[in-house]
């Protein structure tokens, strides 16, 4: 029912960071999403800090206008926060301070997130 409402409200896609370990049947979820005329994407994230490949995929999917508006599903706010922090800084031009403040409000450790963001963004700064 939630996916039918999302589709009726104009959502074009669903990106889930959940995995079967979260008790989610991703095949069933895909069927429900696609049955409601939306695109389905899954980046299963088991750890609080994603891998570079996962962030790259997240940025690629979320930066495509054809995927918006996009509903992002996640089992835990601390899991989606690193993705959004990088997205905010890289795609929306937020300062590190502003992006960190948002993450800290979600209860995540400031220093750990700062190191994570810097380590992801540093090699890309010259691109």
């Amino acid at each position: 029912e939630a996916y039918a409402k999302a589709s009726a409200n104009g959502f074009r896609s669903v990106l889930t960071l959940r995995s079967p370990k979260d008790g989610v049947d991703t095949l069933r979820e895909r069927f429900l999403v696609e049955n409601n005329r939306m695109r389905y994407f899954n980046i299963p994230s088991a750890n609080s800090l994603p891998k570079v490949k996962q962030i790259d995929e997240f940025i690629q999917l979320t930066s495509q206008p054809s995927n918006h508006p996009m509903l992002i599903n996640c089992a835990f706010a601390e899991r989606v926060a690193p993705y959004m922090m990088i997205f905010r800084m890289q795609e929306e031009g937020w300062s590190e301070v502003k992006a960190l403040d948002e993450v800290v409000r979600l209860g995540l450790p400031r220093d750990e997130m700062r190191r994570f963001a810097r380590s992801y963004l540093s090699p890309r700064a010259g691109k």
Side-chain angles (χ1 to χ4, degrees):
E1 190 176 306
Y3 294 127
K5 285 182 183 179
S7 179
N9 284 314
F11 281 85
R12 292 183 180 168
S13 64
V14 173
L15 168 59
T16 185
L17 301 176
R18 301 179 299 177
S19 71
K21 289 181 182 180
D22 297 315
V24 175
D25 180 346
T26 54
L27 290 175
R28 182 176 183 278
E29 185 175 57
R30 174 183 289 278
F31 173 78
L32 293 171
V33 167
E34 291 176 350
N35 204 38
N36 282 287
R37 300 173 315 282
M38 294 182 290
R39 293 179 201 97
Y40 179 81
F41 306 105
N42 179 228
I43 305 173
S45 300
N47 302 319
S48 60
L49 293 178
K51 295 178 172 119
V52 169
K53 181 181 171 188
Q54 291 173 305
I55 291 284
D56 290 344
E57 185 177 2
F58 182 89
I59 295 295
Q60 188 262 333
L61 291 171
T62 56
S63 65
Q64 291 181 12
S66 63
N67 290 333
H68 288 269
M70 176 185 277
L71 175 66
I72 300 175
N73 282 337
C74 186
F76 307 101
E78 63 267 10
R79 194 182 293 167
V80 72
Y83 290 95
M84 289 306 299
M85 181 179 174
I86 296 294
F87 178 83
R88 298 270 197 225
M89 293 169 66
Q90 183 173 305
E91 300 299 315
E92 296 183 337
W94 283 27
S95 70
E96 181 180 280
V97 170
K98 184 176 179 182
L100 271 172
D101 285 346
E102 181 178 62
V103 169
V104 171
R105 280 195 308 276
L106 294 172
L108 296 175
R110 180 178 298 274
D111 291 336
E112 181 181 5
M113 297 312 307
R114 178 181 284 126
R115 281 190 302 276
F116 171 76
R118 286 180 178 171
S119 107
Y120 179 84
L121 293 170
S122 292
R124 287 155 180 74
K127 291 184 180 180

